């Protein structure tokens, strides 16, 4: 039986995307989490600045934290500007946190942020995935499949 696909989240403006994560990991479950930000961080993200390329999430003391994400200082900020690489708290329900904590502890899975975006209500959200790492052979297979799909589309386009 086919595995059910997760519902697509409402994304009006994508700020940062971790495209490498889908190549490096097998994505199992995807969650939408709120992110606790200060005022200048929100302004900086609204200008489209920010990076989660080397970011990850961890569960500590019953809370989920986004670590190593970079939100550069706001250009018009004053002395109250934020620290660019500080850990940021992610807002999830207790049941979801418990599920993530169990998967990370028992199954050796990783919490990987896939994207930061603003939803329809203007709230900053993080698309967080529960993922397993790929080995070198899996990555080679992914490259082969991607190249074959590209070749297929090229053949179909040329021969109608």
């Amino acid at each position: 039986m086919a595995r059910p696909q997760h519902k697509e989240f409402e994304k009006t403006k994508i700020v940062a995307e971790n495209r490498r994560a889908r190549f490096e990991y097998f994505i199992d479950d995807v969650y939408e989490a709120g992110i606790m930000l200060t005022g200048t961080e929100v302004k900086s993200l609204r200008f489209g600045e920010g990076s989660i390329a080397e970011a990850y999430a961890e569960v500590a003391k019953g809370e989920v934290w986004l670590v190593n994400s970079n939100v550069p200082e706001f250009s018009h900020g004053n002395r109250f500007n934020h620290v660019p690489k500080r850990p940021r708290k992610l807002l999830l329900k207790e049941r979801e946190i418990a599920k993530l904590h169990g998967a990370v502890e028992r199954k050796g899975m990783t919490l990987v942020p896939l994207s930061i975006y603003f939803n329809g209500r203007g709230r900053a959200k993080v698309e967080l995935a529960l993922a397993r790492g790929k080995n070198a052979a899996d990555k080679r297979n992914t490259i082969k499949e991607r190249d074959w799909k590209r070749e297929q589309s090229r053949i179909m386009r040329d021969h109608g």
Side-chain angles (χ1 to χ4, degrees), residues 68-105:
N68 213 16
S69 64
N70 184 26
V71 178
E73 288 184 341
F74 183 54
S75 59
H76 294 77
N78 55 14
R79 65 181 181 195
F80 300 113
N81 224 334
H82 63 276
V83 179
K85 283 208 166 199
R86 74 175 182 87
R88 293 168 179 88
K89 186 176 177 182
L90 296 180
L91 307 171
L92 290 161
K93 296 187 176 181
E94 280 188 46
R95 176 175 261 165
E96 291 175 331
I97 293 172
K99 189 175 180 182
L100 294 175
H101 181 67
V104 168
E105 287 294 316

Side-chain angles (χ1 to χ4, degrees), residues 101-118:
H101 181 67
V104 168
E105 287 294 316
R106 283 191 293 279
K107 299 178 189 171
M109 299 182 95
T110 308
L111 291 173
V112 180
L114 298 177
S115 63
I116 295 179
Y117 59 93
F118 286 98

